[in-house]
Short mmCIF file of all heavy atoms in Angstrom, two decimals:
data_model
loop_
_atom_site.label_atom_id
_atom_site.label_comp_id
_atom_site.label_asym_id
_atom_site.label_seq_id
_atom_site.Cartn_x
_atom_site.Cartn_y
_atom_site.Cartn_z
N ASN A 446 110.81 96.37 -49.52
CA ASN A 446 110.79 95.11 -50.29
C ASN A 446 110.78 95.39 -51.80
O ASN A 446 111.58 94.74 -52.55
CB ASN A 446 109.58 94.35 -49.89
CG ASN A 446 110.02 92.96 -49.29
OD1 ASN A 446 110.70 92.23 -49.98
ND2 ASN A 446 109.37 92.62 -48.18
N ASN A 450 113.94 94.91 -54.22
CA ASN A 450 113.97 94.03 -55.38
C ASN A 450 114.33 94.78 -56.68
O ASN A 450 115.15 94.32 -57.52
CB ASN A 450 112.52 93.51 -55.63
CG ASN A 450 112.23 92.18 -54.82
OD1 ASN A 450 113.23 91.71 -54.23
ND2 ASN A 450 111.01 91.75 -54.77
N ALA A 451 113.78 96.03 -56.84
CA ALA A 451 114.07 96.78 -58.02
C ALA A 451 115.60 96.98 -58.02
O ALA A 451 116.28 96.86 -59.03
CB ALA A 451 113.40 98.11 -58.02
N LYS A 453 117.92 95.17 -56.66
CA LYS A 453 118.66 93.88 -56.88
C LYS A 453 118.66 93.48 -58.32
O LYS A 453 119.60 92.92 -58.82
CB LYS A 453 117.90 92.73 -56.01
CG LYS A 453 118.39 92.52 -54.67
CD LYS A 453 117.99 91.22 -54.11
CE LYS A 453 116.52 91.03 -53.83
NZ LYS A 453 116.11 89.81 -53.08
N TYR A 454 117.52 93.66 -58.95
CA TYR A 454 117.37 93.14 -60.35
C TYR A 454 117.58 94.02 -61.41
O TYR A 454 117.13 93.96 -62.57
CB TYR A 454 115.98 92.40 -60.48
CG TYR A 454 115.82 91.31 -59.49
CD1 TYR A 454 114.93 91.43 -58.34
CD2 TYR A 454 116.57 90.09 -59.65
CE1 TYR A 454 114.84 90.41 -57.44
CE2 TYR A 454 116.42 89.13 -58.76
CZ TYR A 454 115.56 89.23 -57.64
OH TYR A 454 115.46 88.26 -56.67
N ASP A 482 111.36 99.88 -62.77
CA ASP A 482 112.78 99.73 -62.91
C ASP A 482 113.11 99.31 -64.40
O ASP A 482 112.19 99.07 -65.08
CB ASP A 482 113.40 98.67 -61.90
CG ASP A 482 112.79 97.30 -62.19
OD1 ASP A 482 113.01 96.83 -63.37
OD2 ASP A 482 112.36 96.69 -61.28
N ILE A 485 115.96 93.51 -65.22
CA ILE A 485 115.99 92.30 -66.06
C ILE A 485 114.52 91.94 -66.50
O ILE A 485 114.42 91.16 -67.49
CB ILE A 485 116.62 91.14 -65.39
CG1 ILE A 485 115.85 90.73 -64.09
CG2 ILE A 485 118.11 91.38 -65.11
CD1 ILE A 485 116.35 89.45 -63.43
N GLY A 486 113.55 92.41 -65.83
CA GLY A 486 112.20 92.07 -66.18
C GLY A 486 111.80 90.69 -65.88
O GLY A 486 112.64 89.95 -65.45
N ILE A 487 110.58 90.35 -66.22
CA ILE A 487 110.04 89.06 -65.78
C ILE A 487 109.26 88.42 -66.98
O ILE A 487 108.60 89.15 -67.64
CB ILE A 487 109.08 89.15 -64.48
CG1 ILE A 487 109.82 89.84 -63.33
CG2 ILE A 487 108.47 87.80 -64.16
CD1 ILE A 487 108.88 90.45 -62.38
N LEU A 495 104.91 84.81 -59.25
CA LEU A 495 105.65 85.77 -58.50
C LEU A 495 105.30 85.80 -56.95
O LEU A 495 106.19 85.94 -56.11
CB LEU A 495 105.33 87.13 -59.01
CG LEU A 495 106.24 87.73 -60.08
CD1 LEU A 495 105.85 89.18 -60.25
CD2 LEU A 495 107.63 87.56 -59.62
N THR A 500 109.39 80.99 -54.26
CA THR A 500 109.60 80.96 -55.78
C THR A 500 110.60 81.99 -56.17
O THR A 500 110.28 83.20 -56.02
CB THR A 500 108.28 81.08 -56.55
OG1 THR A 500 107.29 80.19 -55.89
CG2 THR A 500 108.39 80.87 -57.92
N ARG A 501 111.57 81.52 -56.76
CA ARG A 501 112.61 82.51 -57.40
C ARG A 501 112.64 82.17 -58.87
O ARG A 501 112.66 81.06 -59.20
CB ARG A 501 114.00 82.39 -56.69
CG ARG A 501 113.95 82.51 -55.23
CD ARG A 501 115.39 82.88 -54.73
NE ARG A 501 115.70 84.22 -55.17
CZ ARG A 501 116.85 84.62 -55.54
NH1 ARG A 501 117.84 83.82 -55.50
NH2 ARG A 501 117.05 85.84 -55.83
N LEU A 502 112.60 83.27 -59.65
CA LEU A 502 112.38 83.03 -61.10
C LEU A 502 113.67 83.24 -61.81
O LEU A 502 114.57 83.93 -61.38
CB LEU A 502 111.28 84.00 -61.61
CG LEU A 502 110.03 84.05 -60.70
CD1 LEU A 502 109.25 85.28 -61.20
CD2 LEU A 502 109.27 82.72 -60.93
N ASN A 507 119.39 85.44 -62.41
CA ASN A 507 119.40 85.85 -60.97
C ASN A 507 120.73 85.41 -60.14
O ASN A 507 120.82 85.58 -58.95
CB ASN A 507 118.29 85.33 -60.21
CG ASN A 507 117.02 86.09 -60.53
OD1 ASN A 507 117.12 87.08 -61.27
ND2 ASN A 507 115.88 85.75 -60.03
N GLU A 511 121.13 87.49 -53.97
CA GLU A 511 120.57 86.84 -52.83
C GLU A 511 119.06 86.95 -52.73
O GLU A 511 118.49 88.04 -53.11
CB GLU A 511 121.16 87.42 -51.53
CG GLU A 511 122.49 86.66 -51.15
CD GLU A 511 123.01 87.30 -49.85
OE1 GLU A 511 122.23 87.91 -49.11
OE2 GLU A 511 124.20 87.10 -49.73
N GLY A 512 118.41 85.91 -52.31
CA GLY A 512 116.99 86.00 -52.13
C GLY A 512 116.35 84.70 -51.74
O GLY A 512 117.03 83.63 -51.92
N THR A 513 115.16 84.76 -51.20
CA THR A 513 114.49 83.59 -50.75
C THR A 513 113.22 83.26 -51.45
O THR A 513 112.64 82.27 -51.39
CB THR A 513 114.17 83.62 -49.28
OG1 THR A 513 113.42 84.84 -48.95
CG2 THR A 513 115.47 83.65 -48.41
N GLY A 514 112.70 84.32 -52.14
CA GLY A 514 111.37 84.12 -52.72
C GLY A 514 110.33 84.43 -51.75
O GLY A 514 109.14 84.01 -52.02
N LEU A 515 110.51 85.05 -50.62
CA LEU A 515 109.61 85.18 -49.67
C LEU A 515 109.00 86.69 -49.68
O LEU A 515 107.84 86.91 -49.13
CB LEU A 515 110.10 84.98 -48.26
CG LEU A 515 110.45 83.47 -47.99
CD1 LEU A 515 110.99 83.33 -46.52
CD2 LEU A 515 109.19 82.62 -47.97
N GLY A 516 109.84 87.54 -50.20
CA GLY A 516 109.47 88.96 -50.11
C GLY A 516 108.10 89.33 -50.70
O GLY A 516 107.28 89.93 -50.07
N LEU A 517 107.86 88.93 -51.95
CA LEU A 517 106.63 89.30 -52.58
C LEU A 517 105.38 88.59 -51.94
O LEU A 517 104.42 89.40 -51.74
CB LEU A 517 106.63 89.01 -54.07
CG LEU A 517 107.62 89.95 -54.88
CD1 LEU A 517 107.64 89.62 -56.36
CD2 LEU A 517 107.21 91.34 -54.78
N PRO A 518 105.46 87.41 -51.55
CA PRO A 518 104.20 86.79 -50.90
C PRO A 518 103.90 87.64 -49.61
O PRO A 518 102.78 87.84 -49.26
CB PRO A 518 104.62 85.39 -50.58
CG PRO A 518 105.76 85.03 -51.57
CD PRO A 518 106.37 86.33 -51.90
N SER A 541 110.36 96.32 -65.00
CA SER A 541 109.12 95.91 -64.40
C SER A 541 108.56 97.13 -63.68
O SER A 541 109.23 98.05 -63.27
CB SER A 541 109.29 94.80 -63.41
OG SER A 541 110.27 93.87 -63.89
N PHE A 543 105.86 97.44 -60.36
CA PHE A 543 105.05 96.84 -59.38
C PHE A 543 104.13 98.00 -58.87
O PHE A 543 104.58 99.05 -58.56
CB PHE A 543 105.77 96.19 -58.17
CG PHE A 543 106.51 94.92 -58.54
CD1 PHE A 543 107.63 94.84 -59.29
CD2 PHE A 543 105.97 93.70 -58.22
CE1 PHE A 543 108.30 93.77 -59.66
CE2 PHE A 543 106.51 92.58 -58.51
CZ PHE A 543 107.74 92.48 -59.33
P1 ADP B 1 113.50 87.27 -53.59
O1 ADP B 1 113.76 88.56 -54.32
O2 ADP B 1 114.03 87.24 -52.26
O3 ADP B 1 114.04 86.10 -54.54
P2 ADP B 1 110.76 87.96 -53.94
O4 ADP B 1 109.53 87.21 -53.46
O5 ADP B 1 110.96 89.39 -53.53
O6 ADP B 1 111.99 87.06 -53.56
O7 ADP B 1 110.78 87.86 -55.55
C1 ADP B 1 110.48 86.65 -56.12
C2 ADP B 1 111.05 86.63 -57.54
O8 ADP B 1 110.54 87.57 -58.34
C3 ADP B 1 112.56 87.02 -57.51
O9 ADP B 1 113.31 85.84 -57.34
C4 ADP B 1 112.77 87.54 -58.88
O10 ADP B 1 112.89 86.40 -59.83
C5 ADP B 1 111.41 88.13 -59.32
N1 ADP B 1 111.40 89.58 -59.09
C6 ADP B 1 110.99 90.31 -58.05
N2 ADP B 1 111.14 91.70 -58.29
C7 ADP B 1 111.56 91.77 -59.51
C8 ADP B 1 112.03 92.95 -60.33
N3 ADP B 1 111.94 94.20 -59.85
N4 ADP B 1 112.57 92.71 -61.54
C9 ADP B 1 112.74 91.39 -61.94
N5 ADP B 1 112.36 90.27 -61.29
C10 ADP B 1 111.82 90.52 -59.99
#
Side-chain angles (χ1 to χ4, degrees):
N446 238 309
N450 273 353
K453 269 200 290 191
Y454 300 107
D482 64 56
I485 60 173
I487 301 159
L495 266 188
T500 307
R501 305 205 67 217
L502 312 167
N507 285 356
E511 271 183 19
T513 54
L515 291 176
L517 288 179
S541 320
F543 286 80

